[in-house]
Amino acid sequence: MLLNRVIKTATKADALLTIYFLITVAMMIGGSLAYNLAEGSILGIIITTLIGWVLCWDMVNAVVEAAITTETEKQVRQAIETYKEMNTPEGICQQQDLEFFAVVPPTNRKGDDSYALRLRHNDLGRIQEESVTREAIVRGLDVLTREAIVRGFNNKRDPLRALAIMGACHALGKTHLSDEALDKDTEFKILFYDIYIYLKAWLMLSIKNRREMDLERIVQRYPSIEAPNTKVYTKALRYIRNNSLEIEQLRGYIADDFIENARDMLRNYLERLIEGLDKNRNKK
């Protein structure tokens, strides 16, 4: 009874120890019998050792099979627990936070250690491929609109970049500079890139996940990290909201009848972004 219970719970390590132990016991029995029955002859030792191994074979086989079964059951339990954890509200939020954090590059991250996520910016492509192409569980209008926005604004032409350039130029009064002049303008490039991160990470993933991502995780670097100017950021984003939402790139992802719904959703989330930045500024 006790032996059966031990065998059923055996692990791989238990199986190996059992094999070594039984081989040793078999050799000891064989050696003892050989010494008494065959005066220590080599032939007697070999014969009786083989007899001992044969007697122990069934137990070894049972322990090894039990160890394999136990390991398989352990892996199945771990897979089930992992699946359950990922599909809880907390697990889903953690996956969404990880995706959001992947979009924010290291230079714009704040408090990444609190996420306990050791994520490289290079992982972004893989994460986007796995998440953006995921089919919606419920194919309602709201889901279709959100999906169309995410797909349309993450295409190869990168329309978010164009929006960030327009917003940053307006906020800094640089609307008449050439592309070459803008490329040499350090303060423009800092603001433009930060606005781009707000659009790429916060705006797109808040729309996609249907919950607002954590604004405080994104660092404002203009004019400096020590003394950021939030008003410039909100001025740029408000200009984008009111003047720059040309969303022709959504055609092909959503029916024309619903294009205006997508525009309204973008404006609504941009206003939430602006309000969030103002609220965070007033805290300081």
Side-chain angles (χ1 to χ4, degrees), residues 73-123:
E73 291 175 349
K74 180 181 177 182
Q75 291 178 359
V76 170
R77 284 197 302 271
Q78 289 176 342
I80 291 174
E81 289 301 318
T82 300
Y83 177 80
K84 287 181 178 178
E85 290 176 2
M86 289 181 62
N87 286 274
T88 61
E90 294 80 8
I92 292 171
C93 286
Q94 185 182 47
Q95 291 299 310
Q96 292 173 351
D97 286 342
L98 187 149
E99 182 182 358
F100 166 66
F101 209 56
V103 181
V104 181
T107 53
N108 287 76
R109 292 179 187 172
K110 180 180 179 181
D112 56 329
D113 55 332
S114 64
Y115 270 108
L117 298 174
R118 298 177 180 176
L119 194 72
R120 299 186 306 275
H121 190 49
N122 293 338
D123 295 329

Side-chain angles (χ1 to χ4, degrees), residues 211-266:
R211 75 180 182 95
E212 295 182 25
M213 308 311 293
D214 190 350
L215 269 177
E216 294 186 4
R217 297 297 180 186
I218 300 177
V219 173
Q220 293 182 356
R221 301 177 301 152
Y222 179 86
S224 68
I225 293 177
E226 293 77 15
N229 186 351
T230 302
K231 286 185 178 180
V232 174
Y233 287 84
T234 55
K235 184 177 181 180
L237 291 166
R238 192 167 281 110
Y239 180 81
I240 292 170
R241 179 191 182 281
N242 296 334
N243 302 283
S244 303
L245 284 182
E246 299 298 331
I247 52 176
E248 291 300 313
Q249 61 268 16
L250 297 186
R251 301 189 190 279
Y253 297 102
I254 193 171
D256 289 347
D257 294 343
F258 303 128
I259 290 290
E260 197 57 38
N261 294 82
R263 188 193 301 273
D264 290 342
M265 184 177 289
L266 278 164

